[in-house]
Amino acid sequence: MRIGIFGGSFDPVHKEHVRLAESAVKELSLDRLYVMPAHTPPHKRGKTLSSDEDRSEMCRIAFAHIPGVQVSDYEMKKGGTSYTYLTCRHFAGEYPGAELFWLVGTDMLRDFPTWREPEDILKNAVLAVCARAEEKGWAEREQKAFSERFGKKFSVIGYEGKDVSSTRVRVLTAAGEKIAPYVGGEVADYIRDKGLYRIENAPEALDLEKPSRREHSIRVAFLAAERAPALHIDERKAVTAALFHDCAKNLPPESPLLAGFVPPEGVPGPVLHQYAGAYVAARLGVTDEEILDAIRYHTSGRPDMAPLEKLIFLSDLLEAGRQFEGVDRRRALFWKEKESLDECMEAALSDTLSYLREKGGEVYPLTESAYLFLKNKKPE
């Protein structure tokens, strides 16, 4: 008997998950494939997931048409952190003599040596790998490294996945964008009916922006959401701040949403919208002061910024649509330190000050003090 196990948070399940399952069943000649929503994935501890019930039901909807696929609640019922080696032990005991395959993408394949008890996993299961935006010849290179490390080989599933992620779907849902192309109509309806991933008034805030500015704000949210977990920042806060950060950028001064707004003295024109944005966001129902401060200082920065403030400042600067000299170096710095953005912040603020002085622009004192704070914070 040949049994596959497809684990993940599935928050939400999307079409690439489904296509991988379809390919695995066919190419590995599986008699059964268990889709295994994790209770708490090790790499996502501290992150709030949708309920077990909602993630299981979305999986049941998405995989219902594939013969031999069952959605398992084993890890959810077990509770605690969901470790792959324990799940493989369980299924090896349940199906003695069966060939077990654990489905992964190439990103997880490369992380596999860091998993808990990887050798124990390979005693009970074969990794079955699906490529994701890989260069030609990846399988030979990875197979060699894997064999040298573990003395075993992995199987390759021929389907090459497209660049779709659950994070992207959550951001698009919060922004009020259509998600059926990514998750299918039935799962999209379930998400809408349950109100999953919804952020109050975020679509309304985006509607205040010009189309190009709206697209920018959504890209900022994508980047912020991707970087937030390693920084121990709540994804929902990051996405909220990102989607609201430019909500006043295109508002005329006479807008009712700006009634009563009084900016600080001496604010340069290009910086003014950050203060107006925090004011409008509050009027639209944002009450979390961390989020409001991230909006309030996303252009200027300030001394002693909170992690969320740094994340939004840099995500605004480095989102995928930005093109300027040195942007790739700054993006590398953005990801360099796992749990800190200070090095990237200092470099970005230094670039900003140099640019303004070179072009004869007005230097906002708050930006200079933000830079000096980080520069002086470093140990000698």
Side-chain angles (χ1 to χ4, degrees), residues 305-319:
M305 295 172 77
L308 179 61
E309 295 175 46
K310 297 173 189 174
L311 177 62
I312 299 306
F313 181 101
L314 291 171
S315 297
D316 178 40
L317 181 69
L318 300 173
E319 55 89 354

Side-chain angles (χ1 to χ4, degrees), residues 63-74:
F63 294 104
H65 67 286
I66 308 176
V69 172
Q70 295 182 23
V71 178
S72 171
D73 62 359
Y74 167 72

